[in-house]
Amino acid sequence: MSYIKLFFIIIFGYYENYMLAFSVLIVLCIVVGAFFILRAKDEYKNFRSICLYNVIWKWKYKKNRIVSLWCYCPECGNALLCDDEYCRSAVNMTNKTTFLICKNCGDVEKGRIVGGDRNYLLRIVKFEIQKRIKNGTYKNEAKHEL
Ligand SMILES: [Zn+2]
């Protein structure tokens, strides 16, 4: 107690009981405020799925990074096969097409992306996810629990 008194006397030149109560109140406000700010900052981590290019994309967060991003069949929920064989032979950007195929539904094409291979596709989807996290529109996205 005497140290606390000394602290106030050093800073303000004098000490009164209300100063201690007031300080405790301020510290409490800071702690509670920090708690809510930190929780709100991590709220986007509930955003783990999105529908893009007619298929469902799911991912996880490792710290702040998006990891294990992959696409799933909107009908049966199975992981899709990514066929980008055409990208290797195609010279023009517009000829590069990646097909998303569901083996479980009988080798049916569930989506296609023109412009690049699977790495290109994953980069684009990641970009779309990050964009929604940044501008807050991820809150409007429907959840896809398949
Ligand atoms: Zn399927």
Side-chain angles (χ1 to χ4, degrees):
M1 191 62 183
S2 56
Y3 282 111
I4 294 168
K5 271 185 194 171
L6 198 67
F7 172 78
F8 282 105
I9 289 166
I10 287 167
I11 293 190
F12 300 104
Y14 66 102
Y15 174 80
E16 278 184 55
N17 280 332
Y18 78 87
M19 292 168 86
L20 182 64
F22 197 63
S23 311
V24 169
L25 198 72
I26 287 174
V27 169
L28 267 178
C29 284
I30 290 169
V31 168
V32 170
F35 174 76
F36 279 106
I37 286 169
L38 286 176
R39 222 177 57 163
K41 240 177 87 182
D42 273 359
E43 201 198 319
Y44 72 87
K45 286 185 177 170
N46 293 323
F47 174 47
R48 291 187 305 254
S49 65
I50 192 172
C51 183
L52 277 178
Y53 304 107
N54 301 321
V55 298
I56 310 295
W57 295 86
K58 289 189 201 172
W59 62 92
K60 290 174 182 151
Y61 294 97
K62 197 170 185 183
K63 299 228 165 116
N64 295 323
R65 285 186 310 119
I66 291 164
V67 294
S68 331
L69 174 66
W70 198 246
C71 47
Y72 298 85
C73 175
E75 272 85 44
C76 70
N78 265 52
L80 295 176
L81 211 80
C82 200
D83 182 5
D84 56 7
E85 282 300 309
Y86 290 92
C87 296
R88 267 156 238 169
S89 53
V91 181
N92 292 332
M93 277 281 280
T94 45
N95 291 339
K96 286 181 193 272
T97 307
T98 297
F99 299 94
L100 301 171
I101 295 149
C102 183
K103 280 267 171 205
N104 197 44
C105 290
D107 287 325
V108 182
E109 181 196 319
K110 295 291 175 178
R112 71 167 70 179
I113 292 86
V114 177
D117 62 3
R118 71 180 69 195
N119 290 325
Y120 166 82
L121 173 60
L122 286 171
R123 273 207 308 276
I124 283 194
V125 172
K126 214 175 243 187
F127 175 79
E128 289 294 330
I129 294 165
Q130 280 161 345
K131 195 173 80 182
R132 282 162 176 76
I133 291 171
K134 235 177 208 170
N135 63 21
T137 50
Y138 69 89
K139 289 170 191 163
N140 310 326
E141 292 288 341
K143 282 202 165 61
H144 307 279
E145 306 292 350
L146 269 171

